[in-house]
Tab-separated table of all heavy atoms in Angstrom:
chain	number	residue	atom	x	y	z
A	1	ILE	N	152.926	-27.830	-114.162
A	1	ILE	CA	153.947	-27.065	-113.560
A	1	ILE	C	153.787	-27.242	-112.079
A	1	ILE	O	152.788	-26.803	-111.522
A	1	ILE	CB	153.864	-25.578	-113.894
A	1	ILE	CG1	153.940	-25.351	-115.425
A	1	ILE	CG2	154.896	-24.736	-113.188
A	1	ILE	CD1	153.594	-23.965	-115.884
A	2	LEU	N	154.853	-27.772	-111.396
A	2	LEU	CA	154.812	-28.011	-109.964
A	2	LEU	C	155.819	-27.208	-109.367
A	2	LEU	O	156.924	-26.960	-109.829
A	2	LEU	CB	155.113	-29.512	-109.682
A	2	LEU	CG	154.174	-30.521	-110.349
A	2	LEU	CD1	154.695	-31.878	-110.137
A	2	LEU	CD2	152.764	-30.375	-109.823
A	3	GLY	N	155.523	-26.690	-108.203
A	3	GLY	CA	156.496	-26.033	-107.305
A	3	GLY	C	156.118	-26.133	-105.842
A	3	GLY	O	155.126	-26.663	-105.570
A	4	PRO	N	157.156	-25.660	-105.040
A	4	PRO	CA	156.843	-25.781	-103.618
A	4	PRO	C	155.745	-24.995	-103.081
A	4	PRO	O	155.555	-23.749	-103.675
A	4	PRO	CB	158.189	-25.411	-103.033
A	4	PRO	CG	158.833	-24.527	-104.163
A	4	PRO	CD	158.300	-25.115	-105.391
A	5	VAL	N	155.081	-25.359	-102.128
A	5	VAL	CA	154.073	-24.457	-101.480
A	5	VAL	C	154.896	-23.567	-100.460
A	5	VAL	O	155.661	-24.055	-99.752
A	5	VAL	CB	152.989	-25.299	-100.698
A	5	VAL	CG1	152.081	-24.534	-99.997
A	5	VAL	CG2	152.347	-26.309	-101.623
A	6	GLN	N	154.647	-22.305	-100.670
A	6	GLN	CA	155.302	-21.391	-99.733
A	6	GLN	C	154.686	-21.366	-98.483
A	6	GLN	O	153.472	-21.211	-98.381
A	6	GLN	CB	155.340	-20.041	-100.450
A	6	GLN	CG	156.098	-19.802	-101.685
A	6	GLN	CD	157.568	-20.129	-101.462
A	6	GLN	OE1	158.229	-19.768	-100.430
A	6	GLN	NE2	158.237	-20.866	-102.220
A	7	GLY	N	155.364	-21.578	-97.380
A	7	GLY	CA	154.945	-21.596	-96.025
A	7	GLY	C	155.087	-20.062	-95.445
A	7	GLY	O	155.794	-19.293	-96.079
A	8	GLU	N	154.509	-19.931	-94.277
A	8	GLU	CA	154.632	-18.626	-93.601
A	8	GLU	C	156.057	-18.709	-92.993
A	8	GLU	O	156.325	-19.618	-92.318
A	8	GLU	CB	153.538	-18.480	-92.582
A	8	GLU	CG	152.122	-18.323	-93.215
A	8	GLU	CD	152.097	-16.894	-93.969
A	8	GLU	OE1	152.596	-15.929	-93.401
A	8	GLU	OE2	151.489	-16.936	-94.978
A	9	PRO	N	156.680	-17.524	-93.210
A	9	PRO	CA	158.017	-17.564	-92.387
A	9	PRO	C	157.797	-17.329	-90.931
A	9	PRO	O	156.800	-16.696	-90.373
A	9	PRO	CB	158.727	-16.180	-92.977
A	9	PRO	CG	157.533	-15.438	-93.502
A	9	PRO	CD	156.501	-16.395	-93.940
A	10	LEU	N	158.736	-18.055	-90.178
A	10	LEU	CA	158.732	-17.897	-88.717
A	10	LEU	C	159.043	-16.504	-88.332
A	10	LEU	O	160.017	-15.863	-88.719
A	10	LEU	CB	159.764	-18.958	-88.086
A	10	LEU	CG	159.379	-20.418	-88.283
A	10	LEU	CD1	160.520	-21.236	-87.896
A	10	LEU	CD2	158.045	-20.770	-87.510
A	11	SER	N	158.335	-15.905	-87.331
A	11	SER	CA	158.743	-14.620	-86.827
A	11	SER	C	159.860	-14.777	-85.855
A	11	SER	O	160.566	-13.642	-85.817
A	11	SER	CB	157.359	-14.060	-86.105
A	11	SER	OG	157.049	-14.805	-85.035
A	12	ASP	N	160.086	-15.752	-85.335
A	12	ASP	CA	161.328	-15.940	-84.367
A	12	ASP	C	161.963	-17.255	-84.558
A	12	ASP	O	161.698	-18.168	-83.924
A	12	ASP	CB	160.758	-15.753	-82.934
A	12	ASP	CG	161.906	-15.907	-81.923
A	12	ASP	OD1	163.091	-15.838	-82.262
A	12	ASP	OD2	161.556	-15.971	-80.694
A	13	LEU	N	162.868	-17.345	-85.581
A	13	LEU	CA	163.509	-18.565	-85.976
A	13	LEU	C	164.264	-19.064	-84.797
A	13	LEU	O	164.178	-20.261	-84.479
A	13	LEU	CB	164.438	-18.325	-87.194
A	13	LEU	CG	165.167	-19.566	-87.601
A	13	LEU	CD1	164.222	-20.737	-87.861
A	13	LEU	CD2	166.118	-19.172	-88.802
A	14	ASP	N	165.132	-18.260	-84.088
A	14	ASP	CA	165.852	-18.733	-82.945
A	14	ASP	C	165.011	-19.247	-81.917
A	14	ASP	O	165.328	-20.217	-81.270
A	14	ASP	CB	166.818	-17.496	-82.520
A	14	ASP	CG	167.893	-17.176	-83.437
A	14	ASP	OD1	168.321	-18.072	-84.195
A	14	ASP	OD2	168.144	-15.989	-83.709
A	15	GLY	N	163.805	-18.588	-81.644
A	15	GLY	CA	162.938	-19.094	-80.589
A	15	GLY	C	162.358	-20.484	-81.088
A	15	GLY	O	162.247	-21.299	-80.142
A	16	ALA	N	162.164	-20.568	-82.313
A	16	ALA	CA	161.649	-21.943	-82.763
A	16	ALA	C	162.640	-22.955	-82.612
A	16	ALA	O	162.212	-24.179	-82.378
A	16	ALA	CB	161.134	-21.704	-84.225
A	17	ILE	N	163.839	-22.692	-82.911
A	17	ILE	CA	164.967	-23.634	-82.900
A	17	ILE	C	165.075	-24.103	-81.345
A	17	ILE	O	165.230	-25.267	-81.049
A	17	ILE	CB	166.224	-23.026	-83.410
A	17	ILE	CG1	166.158	-22.943	-84.934
A	17	ILE	CG2	167.390	-23.994	-82.898
A	17	ILE	CD1	167.232	-22.119	-85.513
A	18	GLU	N	165.097	-23.102	-80.475
A	18	GLU	CA	165.104	-23.413	-79.089
A	18	GLU	C	164.033	-24.277	-78.550
A	18	GLU	O	164.175	-25.203	-77.864
A	18	GLU	CB	165.307	-22.137	-78.163
A	18	GLU	CG	166.591	-21.427	-78.280
A	18	GLU	CD	167.786	-22.379	-77.803
A	18	GLU	OE1	167.602	-23.098	-76.783
A	18	GLU	OE2	168.911	-22.381	-78.566
A	19	HIS	N	162.779	-23.887	-79.050
A	19	HIS	CA	161.607	-24.646	-78.672
A	19	HIS	C	161.682	-26.147	-79.190
A	19	HIS	O	161.409	-27.013	-78.443
A	19	HIS	CB	160.329	-24.151	-79.254
A	19	HIS	CG	159.078	-24.730	-78.871
A	19	HIS	ND1	158.354	-24.761	-77.560
A	19	HIS	CD2	158.339	-25.881	-79.642
A	19	HIS	CE1	157.377	-25.569	-77.667
A	19	HIS	NE2	157.421	-26.065	-78.851
A	20	ALA	N	162.232	-26.210	-80.371
A	20	ALA	CA	162.418	-27.662	-80.931
A	20	ALA	C	163.436	-28.461	-80.042
A	20	ALA	O	163.270	-29.638	-79.945
A	20	ALA	CB	162.787	-27.626	-82.414
A	21	LEU	N	164.524	-27.793	-79.766
A	21	LEU	CA	165.452	-28.371	-78.968
A	21	LEU	C	165.046	-28.734	-77.475
A	21	LEU	O	165.536	-29.720	-76.894
A	21	LEU	CB	166.709	-27.603	-78.899
A	21	LEU	CG	167.506	-27.542	-80.176
A	21	LEU	CD1	168.670	-26.540	-80.062
A	21	LEU	CD2	168.008	-28.808	-80.826
A	22	ASN	N	164.135	-27.935	-76.996
A	22	ASN	CA	163.742	-28.165	-75.656
A	22	ASN	C	162.545	-29.242	-75.643
A	22	ASN	O	162.273	-29.827	-74.758
A	22	ASN	CB	162.934	-26.857	-75.143
A	22	ASN	CG	164.036	-25.848	-74.639
A	22	ASN	OD1	165.149	-26.287	-74.317
A	22	ASN	ND2	163.784	-24.669	-74.702
A	23	HIS	N	162.017	-29.483	-76.873
A	23	HIS	CA	160.814	-30.377	-76.867
A	23	HIS	C	161.015	-31.314	-78.135
A	23	HIS	O	160.247	-31.313	-79.087
A	23	HIS	CB	159.502	-29.615	-77.072
A	23	HIS	CG	159.283	-28.685	-75.944
A	23	HIS	ND1	159.592	-27.326	-75.961
A	23	HIS	CD2	158.633	-28.955	-74.654
A	23	HIS	CE1	159.267	-26.756	-74.794
A	23	HIS	NE2	158.751	-27.700	-74.087
A	24	PRO	N	161.921	-32.213	-78.186
A	24	PRO	CA	162.227	-33.011	-79.310
A	24	PRO	C	161.125	-34.084	-79.423
A	24	PRO	O	160.545	-34.418	-78.361
A	24	PRO	CB	163.564	-33.638	-79.096
A	24	PRO	CG	163.773	-33.477	-77.643
A	24	PRO	CD	163.070	-32.291	-77.209
A	25	ILE	N	160.824	-34.484	-80.627
A	25	ILE	CA	159.572	-35.557	-80.751
A	25	ILE	C	160.177	-36.849	-80.373
A	25	ILE	O	160.992	-37.376	-80.821
A	25	ILE	CB	159.267	-35.557	-82.230
A	25	ILE	CG1	158.812	-34.121	-82.643
A	25	ILE	CG2	158.216	-36.624	-82.444
A	25	ILE	CD1	158.629	-33.993	-84.297
A	26	ASP	N	159.495	-37.391	-79.317
A	26	ASP	CA	159.640	-38.633	-78.753
A	26	ASP	C	161.043	-38.963	-78.323
A	26	ASP	O	161.616	-40.055	-78.393
A	26	ASP	CB	159.265	-39.818	-79.855
A	26	ASP	CG	157.772	-39.850	-80.019
A	26	ASP	OD1	157.043	-39.389	-79.203
A	26	ASP	OD2	157.268	-40.088	-81.219
A	27	GLN	N	161.803	-37.969	-77.916
A	27	GLN	CA	163.133	-38.113	-77.421
A	27	GLN	C	163.298	-37.273	-76.183
A	27	GLN	O	162.637	-36.178	-76.105
A	27	GLN	CB	164.105	-37.612	-78.486
A	27	GLN	CG	164.149	-38.515	-79.653
A	27	GLN	CD	164.603	-39.825	-79.505
A	27	GLN	OE1	165.585	-40.069	-78.809
A	27	GLN	NE2	164.024	-40.919	-80.188
A	28	ALA	N	164.308	-37.587	-75.397
A	28	ALA	CA	164.791	-36.611	-74.219
A	28	ALA	C	165.654	-35.552	-74.912
A	28	ALA	O	166.270	-35.785	-75.995
A	28	ALA	CB	165.543	-37.437	-73.266
A	29	PRO	N	165.647	-34.376	-74.306
A	29	PRO	CA	166.504	-33.330	-74.799
A	29	PRO	C	167.979	-33.654	-74.919
A	29	PRO	O	168.505	-34.587	-74.182
A	29	PRO	CB	166.340	-32.150	-73.754
A	29	PRO	CG	164.987	-32.462	-73.069
A	29	PRO	CD	164.974	-33.962	-73.079
A	30	LEU	N	168.714	-33.134	-75.926
A	30	LEU	CA	169.962	-33.529	-76.373
A	30	LEU	C	170.965	-33.506	-75.078
A	30	LEU	O	171.655	-34.355	-74.945
A	30	LEU	CB	170.518	-32.435	-77.330
A	30	LEU	CG	172.056	-32.627	-77.806
A	30	LEU	CD1	172.219	-34.000	-78.424
A	30	LEU	CD2	172.367	-31.489	-78.741
């Protein structure tokens, strides 16, 4: 029986999205 590993939910999803957009991996910001 296989299933997804449950990760820890982000406490601040909008903050995490902004952080990702501010710091894209190996790219300049959008």
Side-chain angles (χ1 to χ4, degrees):
I1 301 171
L2 301 173
V5 176
Q6 294 297 320
E8 289 295 317
L10 294 171
S11 60
D12 179 12
L13 177 58
D14 293 324
I17 291 168
E18 286 301 317
H19 178 78
L21 291 174
N22 286 331
H23 304 93
I25 299 170
D26 294 330
Q27 298 292 320
L30 175 65

